[in-house]
Amino acid sequence: MTIVVLLSAGRHPVSGAPVLPRMEAQAIRIAASLGEAVGLHAGPDAEAVREALGLGLTRIEHIALPEGLDPVPALSARLAALAPDLVLAGRRSQGGAESGVVPYALAEALDLLLIPDVVAVSGGADTLTLDQSLGRGALRRVSVRGPVLATVHPDAAAPHAYAFGKARRGAVELVGAAATGVDVPQAIVEERPYRRRPKLVKGAPTGGSAAERLKAATGEGGSAAKGRLLVEPDPEEAAREILAHLRQIGVLAGPTKSNS
Amino acid sequence: MTRPRRDPRAERASIQVAGEARPRFDRTARRTGSGRPRRDPRAERAGQRVAAEARPRYDLSQTVRFDAAVITEAQPKAAAAASPKILVLDDPAFLVAVVPDAPGGRLSSHDRQVLGAARALAGREGGVAILTLGACEGVGPAGADRWLPLDAVEGYDPATQAARVAAALTALAPRHILFPESLDGGDLARRVAVRMGEPLFTNAEVVAANGLVRPAKGRRVEQRIAPGLLSTVAPDAVAEYGGPPREARPLPVEAEAPTQGSKRIVSAARVPADPATVPLALAEFVASAGNGITDLDTFRQVVAALRATPGASRVLCDAGLMPRHTQVGASGTVLAATCYFALGISGAPQHLQGVAGCEHVVAVNTDLHAAMIERAGLAIVQDAQAVMPALLKLLVQEAQGTGDETA
């Protein structure tokens, strides 16, 4: 089984230093559990992705590409040559535009099946089983046939620890530099230092006064404001009240449902 | 023409209140015959007061003639509240399309925010069109002028779904298309973008007709762009639509549905989260034990019976009675749960920080003045040690009772 992990040159969100995005490190862990994997990076410099060698990859293929060119044609050409069974990528880049469109463009170019937000992959060469995150710990277990491109969700297992010896033994190979790149169609974008916007206060009435917004923000306007207080009730009475309240909120299934 | 001569003594005698030993005069009575009527500033002010508001508000544009009875606005306001007028937009200049997630046929709050953003882009002359996959309720009050109900794709086949949405959007030809930046919505937006060959502006935090703003490069810069065709809107960034309900006129679906794609997805099954093993930060319902609990075996049984995720306060974790990863609070896990059930927890400030994001709190504690009792939506001042067996008994009874009925 051929597995390719797509690697991007990330930037640390605080320091701005080159770093491998965490989701790609998690993708390497998923790939390592299935078999031998190879990393693929397209960009001017492979130094940023060298860290991936210490996290479980033994070999990284680097396509030299000038800054500012669209990596999708070069990557899709190389992927077509490799013909992998499984391609893993992070769900968003880190430190760039962070739009997460590249895996979708690759899937469209190569006519690959794309499964987003995967937390675990198992199975063999014929059929793969992917666990897709639906948020809040719920999963969708998808069985697929044929080559598949999966993006990794942050809820996947934490990456392996960095091993210095492995990082030294691993190799970064330069494969066919894509001379004919296509410029990314740049829309006119104005950049400014980031400014935090005021948070939307949930539950505050539109056009309400500042006092109402403050009440909504501190939780006084919510359930707590019209809270019920039972002082020294009978324990059985208290238990009935608690169960009725939990069912009213909807976190506890009804007595008929819980048994079925 | 002569003015009638005033007789002050007679006027005074006419306003004298009868039947009192001390002479008293009612000066509010309208004087007849002579002079200007007397103003009553209090009655004028009361007449300007807007009815049906707790805070006093005055409509100063309403000028009250002092000799006429004051007009109160209570009647027209009540009539307006009885039948909210549905806004009808017959000939919109352009359309702004919204493709919501609508899990379970109901708009989520994120979907409503996207509709609010679309309304901001549409302005006064544009219309908002909503594209739903399958049935969906409450699209008109959320701000949709047009409604395009597409057939839902059976099973899990995101590629076919994206093809269907892209075909419908091409036929509709809106000026802007907005998606929610959620797990499903973000996936659909990117599939539609590569299918239509259009750039996608992701995760917009500000949506206005003069520009969209998104964070980039690890939130160190923000990028502003004129609204393009495709964008996704970040959660909790834009306010929901707050105006009167809109028409949501159904549009005929013209585009033919693309056929089901290849059979590369063999099966897809939903696996619900196991409350016992789900990480505390992701849990939906957390039941937590504090220093008021000594019998932890019963606590674990109650948690299992309630299908909740176990949590604990710092005191229990420090004592080694509960594992460290169950600790709730500033130095433990900050919860995003819907409901928090606190047993024997008084509510230290650091613990309450961890609970701040929870929508509902149920607390059982012996101390009436505990902070957790104050925070809770249902607060019970009782020993948690006594309430736990009662809860367990009741849950077992319910399970057995329904078991007998079904048997």
Side-chain angles (χ1 to χ4, degrees):
Chain A
M1 188 157 117
T2 327
I3 306 168
V4 173
V5 181
L6 299 181
L7 303 173
S8 67
R11 293 261 160 197
H12 194 274
V14 177
S15 68
V19 70
L20 188 77
R22 182 182 157 90
M23 279 181 272
E24 284 160 25
Q26 289 171 309
I28 292 169
R29 176 168 186 173
I30 292 174
S33 68
L34 293 167
E36 191 71 13
V38 59
L40 183 60
H41 173 68
D45 188 15
E47 279 312 301
V49 298
R50 194 170 269 279
E51 196 188 335
L53 294 172
L55 291 166
L57 289 181
T58 52
R59 197 164 66 88
I60 292 173
E61 294 193 353
H62 173 216
I63 305 168
L65 202 67
E67 185 85 50
L69 288 193
D70 187 7
V72 171
L75 286 175
S76 60
R78 185 63 196 151
L79 281 177
L82 284 170
D85 298 305
L86 175 66
V87 183
L88 289 166
R91 81 187 289 269
R92 301 282 181 274
S93 68
Q94 186 179 311
E98 299 172 9
S99 66
V101 175
V102 168
Y104 291 85
L106 281 176
E108 181 79 6
L110 295 167
D111 191 29
L112 278 176
L113 176 67
L114 190 144
I115 304 289
D117 304 320
V118 163
V119 295
V121 181
S122 57
D126 188 34
T127 314
L128 279 174
T129 306
L130 301 103
D131 285 348
Q132 189 185 18
S133 171
L134 299 176
R136 285 210 177 264
L139 298 174
R140 185 188 284 130
R141 190 153 288 164
V142 185
S143 294
V144 298
R145 198 175 288 132
V148 60
L149 195 161
T151 63
V152 175
H153 191 269
D155 285 351
H160 283 307
Y162 178 80
F164 181 72
K166 279 187 186 170
R168 286 203 55 170
R169 283 194 294 276
V172 177
E173 290 172 17
L174 194 68
V175 294
T180 56
V182 189
D183 266 321
V184 186
Q186 285 292 334
I188 301 127
V189 171
E190 179 195 341
E191 278 196 357
R192 293 178 189 177
Y194 182 68
R195 183 165 73 83
R196 289 167 72 110
R197 313 277 164 189
K199 241 179 156 179
L200 208 69
V201 180
K202 269 186 188 166
T206 29
S209 66
E212 283 164 347
R213 286 201 301 278
L214 181 67
K215 263 187 186 170
T218 51
E220 285 172 36
S223 61
K226 43 189 182 291
R228 290 183 55 209
L229 177 67
L230 306 180
V231 180
E232 299 284 339
D234 193 46
E236 276 75 31
E237 172 66 23
R240 269 195 298 280
E241 288 287 343
I242 289 168
L243 289 190
H245 187 75
L246 293 179
R247 290 205 170 105
Q248 193 199 338
I249 294 166
V251 291
L252 186 65
T256 46
K257 254 188 178 174
S258 65
N259 199 43
S260 60
Chain B
M1 202 173 79
T2 56
R3 283 170 67 187
R5 194 189 175 101
R6 278 185 65 186
D7 183 359
R9 278 174 219 276
E11 281 173 16
R12 204 171 145 82
S14 71
I15 61 169
Q16 184 166 8
V17 178
E20 297 209 19
R22 230 177 112 202
R24 291 190 61 229
F25 303 98
D26 181 13
R27 292 189 196 281
T28 60
R30 183 75 58 83
R31 288 180 194 183
T32 50
S34 68
R36 301 205 321 243
R38 197 187 171 97
R39 276 189 66 188
D40 184 0
R42 280 173 219 272
E44 283 171 27
R45 190 74 173 152
Q48 284 176 332
R49 182 163 174 167
V50 177
E53 297 233 8
R55 257 176 83 202
R57 289 188 61 227
Y58 297 96
D59 180 10
L60 298 183
S61 65
Q62 184 183 338
T63 49
V64 185
R65 281 196 57 203
F66 46 79
D67 54 346
V70 289
I71 311 149
T72 51
E73 232 188 307
Q75 273 75 28
K77 274 231 163 167
S83 63
K85 201 166 166 245
I86 291 178
L87 276 183
V88 176
L89 198 64
D90 274 324
D91 190 21
F94 60 93
L95 285 176
V96 180
V98 171
V99 187
D101 287 339
R106 200 172 292 172
L107 294 176
S108 65
S109 74
H110 194 181
D111 293 336
R112 288 171 196 284
Q113 290 162 9
V114 179
L115 277 163
R119 181 52 28 226
L121 279 183
R124 195 166 290 177
E125 56 264 21
V128 174
I130 186 166
L131 250 88
T132 59
L133 290 147
C136 185
E137 59 188 42
V139 294
D145 294 304
R146 297 288 184 274
W147 182 19
L148 196 65
L150 300 180
D151 297 332
V153 178
E154 58 275 6
Y156 176 67
D157 193 353
T160 310
Q161 186 178 333
R164 200 169 281 185
V165 169
L169 285 173
T170 312
L172 191 66
R175 189 182 284 182
H176 312 292
I177 305 170
L178 299 182
F179 295 85
E181 180 65 58
S182 54
L183 284 179
D184 282 344
D187 177 48
L188 181 64
R190 285 166 181 82
R191 286 180 198 271
V192 169
V194 295
R195 187 165 265 277
M196 292 169 83
E198 292 280 346
L200 175 71
F201 192 77
T202 54
N203 206 25
E205 287 192 343
V206 176
V207 179
N210 60 356
L212 308 179
V213 177
R214 75 162 172 220
K217 303 187 182 172
R219 284 188 186 270
R220 279 181 295 130
V221 300
E222 61 180 34
Q223 298 178 334
R224 175 180 284 271
I225 195 172
L229 182 65
L230 292 162
S231 333
T232 62
V233 180
D236 295 339
V238 187
E240 297 175 5
Y241 172 67
R246 298 205 163 238
E247 192 190 4
R249 184 187 300 174
L251 286 179
V253 184
E254 288 153 11
E256 79 280 14
T259 50
Q260 206 83 0
S262 59
K263 297 286 172 203
R264 288 191 285 194
I265 295 181
V266 180
S267 70
R270 200 189 148 93
V271 185
D274 179 12
T277 56
V278 73
L280 208 52
L282 300 176
E284 178 96 37
F285 175 29
V286 178
S288 201
N291 207 19
I293 298 276
T294 49
D295 185 4
L296 282 161
D297 280 335
T298 317
F299 170 70
R300 288 192 196 96
Q301 287 172 26
V302 167
V303 168
L306 288 172
R307 292 191 56 76
T309 307
S313 72
R314 184 194 57 79
V315 183
L316 289 199
C317 293
D318 280 359
L321 297 170
M322 289 287 281
R324 179 61 75 187
H325 64 81
T326 58
Q327 184 181 332
V328 174
S331 53
T333 308
V334 177
L335 301 181
T338 311
C339 181
Y340 184 68
F341 183 24
L343 283 158
I345 296 179
S346 60
Q350 290 84 355
H351 191 84
L352 288 178
Q353 279 177 34
V355 188
C358 298
E359 199 178 335
H360 302 281
V361 175
V362 179
V364 181
N365 202 314
T366 47
D367 182 7
L368 173 62
H369 305 288
M372 191 55 95
I373 293 283
E374 196 181 324
R375 168 74 176 80
L378 174 65
I380 289 168
V381 182
Q382 182 56 273
D383 190 3
Q385 279 293 120
V387 173
M388 280 197 309
L391 258 178
L392 205 55
K393 203 173 123 197
L394 195 60
L395 283 166
V396 169
Q397 258 178 17
E398 279 178 355
Q400 280 175 353
T402 51
D404 293 342
E405 279 165 31
T406 49

